[in-house]
Amino acid sequence: MGILKSRSNKKFDYSPRYYKNDGEGSPYSIKHKFDEHRTTIGGNSGLKSKFKTAWEELRQSKDRRANRTIILIAAILILIFLYIIDFDLSIFYQS
């Protein structure tokens, strides 16, 4: 049954009756827009390898401004979360 295994999608080889294949692929194939530009998709098995490839892609990205924006948004969300759970920062101060 595989409780921890992820299910793979079913693939059907559908070919329409009156379609002329010009060698450019099927117009009915489902493909994401940016799949050829991503390195994090594919046969990454395991959570550690997914994080490792995502981190490498973030480090090798040419756009530093986008990386800073992502880090800034993550920091703001973490601070909002800490405010919601009423986290006490006084545990870090020595008195």
Side-chain angles (χ1 to χ4, degrees):
M1 183 143 178
I3 294 173
L4 300 177
K5 288 175 85 176
S6 62
R7 290 181 49 194
S8 61
N9 295 331
K10 295 179 182 177
K11 297 180 182 178
F12 300 100
D13 190 23
Y14 173 73
S15 59
R17 183 180 291 182
Y18 300 109
Y19 171 67
K20 294 180 183 174
N21 189 0
D22 296 334
E24 60 189 47
S26 174
Y28 300 103
S29 66
I30 299 173
K31 187 175 179 185
H32 290 283
K33 196 174 191 179
F34 301 108
D35 276 352
E36 57 269 0
H37 304 292
R38 293 183 183 148
T39 59
T40 54
I41 61 170
N44 294 340
S45 61
L47 189 62
K48 183 178 178 181
S49 64
K50 288 181 184 178
F51 277 119
K52 192 174 185 179
T53 55
W55 182 255
E56 286 299 320
E57 183 177 331
L58 183 69
R59 290 190 65 197
Q60 293 176 357
S61 176
K62 304 283 187 224
D63 193 8
R64 294 282 186 198
R65 187 174 180 193
N67 290 346
R68 288 181 186 162
T69 306
I70 291 171
I71 292 172
L72 180 67
I73 290 172
I76 289 172
L77 289 175
I78 289 172
L79 290 174
I80 290 172
F81 173 73
L82 291 176
Y83 179 75
I84 289 173
I85 64 168
D86 199 25
F87 186 72
D88 190 15
L89 293 175
S90 65
I91 62 172
F92 297 114
Y93 301 119
Q94 290 183 359
S95 54

